[in-house]
Amino acid sequence: MIEQQENCRPAKVIGPLGEPLTLDSLPPSDTTRWVVRRKAEVVAAVNGGLLSVDDVCSRYGLTVEEFAGWQRAIDRSGMPGLRVTRIQHYKTLYERQQKF
């Protein structure tokens, strides 16, 4: 009989700045000020399997669409794409690239 592991999540993942991230080192669940680094850490936690998207949305009170926007921003432009002041710039740049 094959036994399944109940928790097959890693204990830590590599964060956006190369540092190890654990559940305890992630931003607190009551975070309201989302700076670029915190967003990138949460995305790295999901990408590394530390948390699921549902876990993140529940823990931080985010919508799936909001979190997916963070993931897209990182995929397209890296951490600078997460800056709120640059969202329109990167969105326009990405749309322009898609036309050619």
Side-chain angles (χ1 to χ4, degrees):
M1 182 182 253
I2 299 174
E3 294 183 33
Q4 292 183 354
Q5 293 180 354
E6 287 184 23
N7 187 359
C8 56
R9 293 183 181 175
K12 63 182 176 181
V13 297
I14 302 302
L17 302 175
E19 77 289 1
L21 288 177
T22 64
L23 288 176
D24 292 334
S25 67
L26 287 173
S29 60
D30 61 351
T31 298
T32 56
R33 187 166 182 267
W34 285 101
V35 296
V36 170
R37 180 188 49 81
R38 290 183 187 141
K39 292 177 186 179
E41 287 174 345
V42 171
V43 171
V46 170
N47 290 345
L50 193 60
L51 289 172
S52 70
V53 173
D54 290 338
D55 292 338
V56 165
C57 291
S58 162
R59 180 177 176 147
Y60 295 111
L62 303 171
T63 64
V64 173
E65 293 79 14
E66 187 173 17
F67 178 76
W70 293 0
Q71 282 186 313
R72 276 192 308 275
I74 285 181
D75 290 345
R76 291 178 182 169
S77 309
M79 284 180 61
L82 290 171
R83 291 181 58 203
V84 174
T85 57
R86 302 297 285 169
I87 288 174
Q88 188 60 45
H89 168 77
Y90 286 111
K91 181 180 176 187
T92 304
L93 181 65
Y94 180 75
E95 288 170 352
R96 208 175 313 136
Q97 288 173 347
Q98 294 300 323
K99 291 180 183 178
F100 298 105

